[in-house]
Amino acid sequence: MDYSRFLSVVSAAREENLIRLTSSLAEKKPSVIMISGGMPNPNYFPFKTASFTIEDGTTIEIGEAMMKRALQYSTTEGIPELLSWLKDLQMSLHNPPTAKYSPDQGQMEICVTTGSQDALSKVFDMLVNPGDNVLLEDPSYSGTVSALKPLGCNIIKVPTDKHGIIPKALKEILSRWRPEDAKKLNNNLPKFLYTVPNGSNPAGTSLTADCKKKIYQLARCYDFLIIEDDPYYFLQFEKTKAPTFLSMDVDGRVIRCDTFSKIISAGLRLGFLTGPKPLIDRVILHIQSSTIHTSTFTQILMLELLHKWGQKGLLEHADRVMEFYRTQRDAMLAAADRWLKGLAEWHVPTAGIFLWIKIKGISDTYQMIVENALDRGVSLVPGQSFSIDSSAPTPYCRASYSFASPDQMDQAFQKLAELIKETV
């Protein structure tokens, strides 16, 4: 693939930071006397050791030597041992066809990011010029909408149903172009499709394997990239997980965002990007001139935990987290059945942490949710937060079952039901 046609003017202009490059090369040769980098002397960092107790009662110890490394600058793309561990994980979970490709063919590459939101922001910066067409599922994650709007692109809404993006609707949208136009310069074809394929935020929908295959074929036909933002991958409630876009990516056109926020810690801000090397390399150049790298301390702590657990331990922990959220989902659905039947509609989420509720008889939920519900002691999110046109009325609101207790969910929906009856 010719990846240069996807790059924004800003990304194409980025150049290698020679200081970062020479420091990175020197770190790979321990015998080199390093007087190139501006690294502070770790002997004068005040923190010497750390100990962390994990859920099984065992501890992770970071000794003085490791602490010096954890508090120091590190390579932009991520510390080597963590990158190696993550590559092995992606091979086990997704086995991307691109893993065996050459770099210019779109060989699978990984970089560590400061959470997946940081990754998304840098991917959009890499791809979007003002006036570019991009495809977004509707409704869509508010963080994505907020990141894209200031870039001046033309956001094309792709309709969804209870399974997420509707392939037939996507095909109809794309029919305004011809597949052969993809071979022309300045063709104005959409550059990418953005989707949260599992437990989407806010709708809680999950794409089926068949839908993904149809969408990927359309991407091949019209030569656009797929941004697979999958923070709820480990929170799928069905026993068999649908194959990922990364697992079917024979062209090197999928950029996948993963995060540890939902299963290990949101505050550690640790995510990772997987995609074709020519594109991941452009993201790394951006990181060089922005955050420089994700916190070394965060990476070291995560690496120690992953080494302690192994892949088997990580997946077992993820399954325990998933079971908790499935129980929480069931509690929220029970509360919805008890109080909102006849007043609202919803689909059963098969992944994630959200319930997307359509209120009957109300064309716009904004005032009811933002003002009246809060006065009653209930906090939900109005549907406008997830609309590309935030001024358009919507009968939807989003509830999350991640944090509240079953009793609190029941109380919240009882109050919401009372409010709906008063409003209609």
Side-chain angles (χ1 to χ4, degrees), residues 80-378:
E81 302 95 321
L82 182 58
L83 288 173
S84 177
W85 206 99
L86 295 175
K87 285 181 180 179
D88 288 344
L89 180 67
Q90 296 299 64
M91 291 303 297
S92 295
L93 296 178
H94 312 293
N95 193 25
T98 54
K100 298 178 181 178
Y101 290 10
S102 65
D104 60 332
Q105 289 179 311
Q107 180 185 62
M108 182 192 87
E109 186 60 281
I110 291 181
C111 73
V112 176
T113 59
T114 308
S116 59
Q117 183 66 44
D118 176 56
L120 284 173
S121 178
K122 287 177 169 59
V123 167
F124 297 149
D125 174 271
M126 171 180 65
L127 299 177
V128 176
N129 287 313
D132 282 347
N133 288 320
V134 301
L135 300 160
L136 252 68
E137 58 191 7
D138 184 41
S140 201
Y141 168 49
S142 58
T144 291
V145 177
S146 297
L148 282 174
K149 277 188 174 182
L151 298 179
C153 56
N154 177 35
I155 300 175
I156 302 171
K157 298 187 291 185
V158 183
T160 58
D161 58 16
K162 65 180 181 179
H163 298 301
I165 289 172
I166 305 169
K168 185 177 180 181
L170 176 60
K171 185 176 182 179
E172 187 175 334
I173 289 168
L174 291 167
S175 68
R176 69 183 72 171
W177 294 276
R178 297 178 305 169
E180 54 266 31
D181 290 341
K183 299 176 183 178
K184 301 176 182 177
L185 291 174
N186 304 316
N187 53 39
N188 212 29
L189 275 160
K191 274 192 171 179
F192 63 79
L193 167 70
Y194 169 85
T195 181
V196 178
N198 295 299
S200 71
N201 180 1
T205 57
S206 297
L207 285 168
T208 64
D210 184 59
C211 285
K212 287 179 180 176
K213 289 173 184 176
K214 290 176 180 177
I215 291 168
Y216 189 82
Q217 288 307 311
L218 287 170
R220 300 191 77 185
C221 185
Y222 289 92
D223 196 24
F224 58 82
L225 304 173
I226 296 174
I227 300 176
E228 182 176 33
D229 183 16
D230 209 358
Y232 309 105
Y233 173 79
F234 291 110
L235 304 186
Q236 297 180 64
F237 305 135
E238 303 296 326
K239 287 185 178 180
T240 302
K241 292 180 173 66
T244 60
F245 282 113
L246 184 66
S247 71
M248 57 182 73
D249 185 23
V250 293
D251 293 338
R253 65 175 67 253
V254 173
I255 303 174
R256 179 178 171 84
C257 298
D258 284 286
T259 180
F260 289 110
S261 291
K262 306 303 184 289
I263 59 169
I264 292 182
S265 167
L268 285 179
R269 307 309 304 137
L270 192 61
F272 53 105
L273 271 178
T274 308
K277 182 174 173 54
L279 296 180
I280 299 301
D281 284 349
R282 304 312 297 183
V283 172
I284 293 171
L285 289 183
H286 189 174
I287 297 173
Q288 285 182 353
S289 61
S290 56
T291 55
I292 302 180
H293 59 76
T294 295
S295 162
T296 316
F297 186 90
T298 295
Q299 293 185 67
I300 291 286
L301 179 59
M302 183 63 69
L303 180 64
E304 291 297 304
L305 177 65
L306 295 176
H307 276 164
K308 189 178 188 68
W309 276 350
Q311 279 192 27
K312 183 174 181 289
L314 172 67
L315 298 179
E316 287 173 349
H317 171 79
D319 281 346
R320 289 193 294 273
V321 176
M322 179 274 294
E323 290 290 351
F324 166 76
Y325 286 121
R326 178 159 53 190
T327 301
Q328 289 286 98
R329 177 205 62 175
D330 293 346
M332 178 163 277
L333 290 173
D337 284 337
R338 187 176 299 113
W339 298 110
L340 299 180
K341 266 191 176 178
L343 301 175
E345 298 174 349
W346 58 89
H347 296 300
V348 175
T350 56
I353 58 177
F354 301 114
L355 185 66
W356 189 232
I357 304 169
K358 182 179 181 181
I359 309 297
K360 293 183 177 180
I362 296 176
S363 60
D364 189 10
T365 59
Y366 184 84
Q367 183 175 357
M368 184 184 78
I369 297 301
V370 173
E371 298 176 14
N372 302 342
L374 272 178
D375 289 341
R376 300 288 182 92
V378 180

Side-chain angles (χ1 to χ4, degrees), residues 374-411:
L374 272 178
D375 289 341
R376 300 288 182 92
V378 180
S379 174
L380 297 108
V381 185
Q384 281 95 331
S385 300
F386 312 97
S387 298
I388 294 162
D389 179 5
S390 59
S391 64
T394 173
Y396 287 92
C397 64
R398 190 197 75 180
S400 172
Y401 44 83
S402 63
F403 206 76
S405 69
D407 184 57
Q408 288 173 323
M409 295 180 205
D410 194 74
Q411 292 177 48

